[in-house]
Amino acid sequence: MHLQAARDLQRAKFVLFLSVALFAPNCGHASVPETVAQALKRYGIEVNEAALVKAMSDPRKEVRGLAAAELADMKVINALPEILRAAESEQDGLTQVNIAAAATWLGSDQGLSLLKGICADGSKPGYVRASAARSVFREQDHTCFRPLVDMIDLGTDTEGRIEAIDLLAQVRPKTDEEEKTALRLALDALHDPEVMVRLQACEAIRWIGDPKAIAPLQQALEHEQEKVVRERIGLVLKLLRENGRQPLE
């Protein structure tokens, strides 16, 4: 596996783990996050092919997603049909994304198509659609770019807007038109009624690093009432003025 592919897989697994860890029991104050295999054992699931395939029918959604991830990590190609069946039948949105993403780690075009369908489905929560798009972008596929733009413009749920603004700013490489669109959405979000969306807009603008954002940021600063947002806008302005067009990592 190429180094970048290995990094992408590790990041994908970490994102999946975060999405299920929110629902996991309190595990104390360990300084190192547990692995997927450790999480499965905590749920009483043995880490072998037969047990993991069976676990994809477990009543606990956390277990279903973790089992698919571990099968993919173990490169159990024989389990791909079971993973795809589990993804197709899954009723929980984020778990469905996690299982379909695991299928793509095994090279499944069907899993990728399922993820594209989720991010384009306007009936699903925005945060679920954004999660699916993240996995699609990881495959260097920009099919989900336009659905996320439309989702933000239509004003979906707060968490979905936050995730989508973040994704569209960071996805690489972008066309010139995509870059302009991502910046436009971030600048518009500076005026969102939700504080967390405005903060994410600042982060997106910082990431894009385009000095054309300086004037709109200055205008937003003049009207912003929340101290935390004002501070963030000020920081981004400072960075843009100092760094010019270079992305600010």
Side-chain angles (χ1 to χ4, degrees):
M1 180 182 291
H2 294 301
L3 178 59
Q4 186 58 48
R7 287 173 175 164
D8 288 346
L9 176 56
Q10 287 302 107
R11 185 180 179 197
K13 287 171 62 182
F14 184 63
V15 170
L16 182 144
F17 174 74
L18 286 180
S19 70
V20 298
L22 294 174
F23 303 98
N26 191 332
C27 299
H29 302 283
S31 58
V32 179
E34 64 185 346
T35 65
V36 173
Q38 289 169 338
L40 283 163
K41 289 179 180 178
R42 173 165 53 77
Y43 282 110
I45 306 298
E46 292 298 321
V47 182
N48 60 65
E49 181 177 347
L52 292 171
V53 169
K54 182 179 179 181
M56 285 191 295
S57 299
D58 193 278
R60 296 164 293 184
K61 60 187 177 183
E62 303 87 4
V63 170
R64 298 194 296 272
L66 288 165
E70 189 63 17
L71 284 166
D73 187 43
M74 293 166 59
K75 299 180 177 59
V76 184
I77 299 295
N78 292 338
L80 183 55
E82 294 294 336
I83 294 174
L84 288 169
R85 275 193 287 271
E88 291 283 358
S89 62
E90 179 59 54
Q91 296 302 302
D92 180 76
L94 285 179
T95 305
Q96 184 181 39
V97 169
N98 290 339
I99 296 173
T104 67
W105 305 344
L106 291 173
S108 171
D109 290 336
Q110 187 176 338
L112 185 60
S113 294
L114 180 57
L115 290 168
K116 291 178 184 179
I118 293 170
C119 75
D121 188 346
S123 69
K124 295 189 180 298
Y127 65 89
V128 172
R129 297 174 64 188
S131 180
R134 188 180 298 276
S135 290
V136 174
F137 287 142
R138 208 171 280 123
E139 299 297 319
Q140 297 300 306
D141 186 317
H142 285 210
T143 301
C144 290
F145 196 96
R146 177 47 57 180
L148 288 191
V149 171
D150 294 341
M151 186 179 83
I152 297 169
D153 281 336
L154 290 172
T156 186
D157 55 274
T158 300
E159 188 176 353
R161 295 202 307 282
I162 290 171
E163 286 291 316
I165 291 166
D166 174 56
L167 273 175
L168 296 185
Q170 294 197 44
V171 64
R172 294 287 187 270
K174 283 197 284 285
T175 65
D176 289 344
E177 186 60 33
E178 287 173 339
E179 190 82 7
K180 291 177 184 177
T181 299
L183 180 60
R184 188 266 297 175
L185 291 168
L187 291 173
D188 287 348
L190 288 172
H191 308 287
D192 193 278
E194 296 289 342
V195 170
M196 293 305 296
V197 175
R198 300 202 299 276
L199 285 171
Q200 184 58 64
C202 293
E203 289 303 299
I205 294 166
R206 182 187 72 86
W207 181 267
I208 294 169
D210 192 331
K212 289 194 293 291
I214 290 175
L217 278 168
Q218 188 62 54
Q219 292 173 0
L221 180 62
E222 292 170 3
H223 294 92
E224 181 58 57
Q225 300 299 310
E226 293 289 340
K227 180 180 178 182
V228 65
V229 182
R230 289 180 57 82
E231 290 176 347
R232 179 56 60 174
I233 292 175
L235 175 60
V236 176
L237 277 169
K238 180 176 183 291
L239 291 171
L240 286 177
R241 286 165 175 154
E242 289 176 351
N243 293 278
R245 189 64 179 84
Q246 296 301 314
L248 308 170
E249 307 210 15

